[in-house]
Structures are given as structure tokens and as C-alpha cells.
Amino acid sequence: MSRRVVNITLDNLDDLPRRCRTCVFWELDPVSRERADAVGDPGLEKEAWVSATLLEWGSCGKLVYVDNVPAGFVQYAPPLYVPRSVAFPTSPVSADAVLLMNAHIVPEFAGGGLGRMLVQGVAKDLTRRGVKAIEAFGDLKAEDGGCMVPAEYLLAVGFKTIRPHHRFPRLRLDLRSALSWREDVEVALERLLGSMTPEGALRPV
């Protein structure tokens, strides 16, 4: 079984799960997203976002393949490129951090260490680029699914709450500690990513 992690580009964007390919929860502000869903082309909006972010900032996501079959992905970018990031009560993201937008492992491939591969790839990429930390908006009521990572799992894999909130705390992970995660923490992350179904990951909050 061969496994490989590659950067998300315009050439492989269609390898994202179908609904993820046309989801612009993070890429557009709430008003623009509603307009795109109603009368626009969300898939085209997502392609435009990836294109602009790649050109101006660089790699903003990773895909993992198992025997050439797309098995999961993660997206990340500076908050400047993520309009939704200013819509949370615990905004803004720290100036020295990149925002973890979303992450997903296809259920059939859960439990195989793919989540660990993806996040290690993100951590190494951002460390090489001089980024100090990853931040994320957690969801404390994520049992019904949503476009965000559940806060409890972010805490389980080493994130620390830096701005509390009853629903959407902002959490932070220092990349120096991310590179030295213990195996049990990586397993917790794998369970998190495997539990995020495409339907749950795409329902708006």
C-alpha cells in the first residue's frame, strides 16, 4: 500500500470530496458565501481562492493519497486570506499564526495514520516558512457536525485555549511542540479526523 502527501493545487483540487470541493465556508465571508450559494458558483469561487492564495502566499493545503486514491485533506492559510476568520467572537487570529481551516479523512481510510501524516506535513511546511504557530476556532458543541474542528479534539492534540468562549474558543499550537508530539497525541488526532464525515464537515454552523 503506497501513501503520499502532496500540496493542494489547481490540478488536483477536484480530488477533494465532492461536497468539500464546492464548500466555501472559510474562503468567503458569510454574506458572500450566501450569495455564492444562492446565485453564484461556489466551486468556481473555491478555485479562485486556491489560485490567489497559491500565487500570493504559497501552499495552503495538503492531500493524502492511498494507492493513488484521494483519502483526506487539510487546508490552512494566514487569516488575511480567510474572510470567515473575522466572523467569530474570538477573532482575530494572532499575527504570528496560520489558521487551520478544516481537515478530513475519508471514513474508509480512518485509523491508518493518515491524519498524522497530513498534520506533520503541515507543521514541517509552516516551520520551514518561519511560521511560529497554528491557531484554530474550536467548536464546543460540535456533536452535530459543522465546518469546524471540535474544540475537545484540538485540546487533545496539544492546542491550548488562548481566548475562551462558550461556543467558539480560539486555540493555539506552538509548532515547536507540534514537531515533538507523542504517538498517543497523534492517535487522538487521527481519531478526530476520521470522525469528521463529509456531511458533518460541511454543514454550516
Side-chain angles (χ1 to χ4, degrees), residues 5-183:
V5 175
V6 303
N7 291 334
I8 290 178
T9 67
L10 294 180
D11 294 330
N12 59 27
L13 189 59
D14 286 340
D15 285 345
L16 267 63
R18 184 175 60 84
R19 292 185 64 185
C20 299
R21 173 63 178 84
T22 57
C23 176
V24 286
F25 175 85
W26 289 103
E27 292 86 349
L28 299 178
D29 64 79
V31 174
S32 297
R33 180 191 178 224
E34 289 183 9
R35 184 165 57 245
D37 286 342
V39 299
D41 185 340
L44 187 60
E45 294 282 1
K46 193 177 192 83
E47 182 176 324
W49 182 88
V50 170
S51 177
T53 305
L54 284 171
L55 286 171
E56 297 173 12
W57 183 66
S59 177
C60 55
K62 296 203 177 280
L63 271 162
V64 62
Y65 295 86
V66 175
D67 291 336
N68 295 319
V69 176
F73 76 97
V74 62
Q75 281 187 276
Y76 54 96
L80 176 66
Y81 292 88
V82 189
R84 171 72 68 162
S85 69
V86 300
F88 291 93
T90 48
S91 299
V93 173
S94 301
D96 64 348
V98 160
L99 179 66
L100 174 66
M101 299 160 59
N102 52 19
H104 174 66
I105 297 295
V106 176
E108 303 93 277
F109 296 100
L114 300 182
R116 179 169 65 251
M117 288 181 63
L118 281 172
V119 174
Q120 285 178 339
V122 172
K124 290 176 182 177
D125 173 35
L126 294 180
T127 298
R128 284 195 300 264
R129 295 157 75 175
V131 177
K132 293 183 178 181
I134 303 173
E135 292 189 2
F137 295 103
D139 189 350
L140 288 170
K141 300 179 181 179
E143 63 273 9
D144 295 326
C147 298
M148 302 169 62
V149 181
E152 63 178 296
Y153 289 109
L154 290 169
L155 291 168
V157 300
F159 279 76
K160 304 295 183 184
T161 301
I162 57 173
R163 187 161 181 197
H165 186 265
H166 67 277
R167 178 69 189 271
F168 302 121
R170 179 159 50 91
L171 302 98
R172 179 180 174 95
L173 177 68
D174 188 295
L175 283 175
R176 289 172 297 181
S177 64
L179 293 177
S180 60
W181 280 342
R182 296 171 304 172
E183 185 174 343

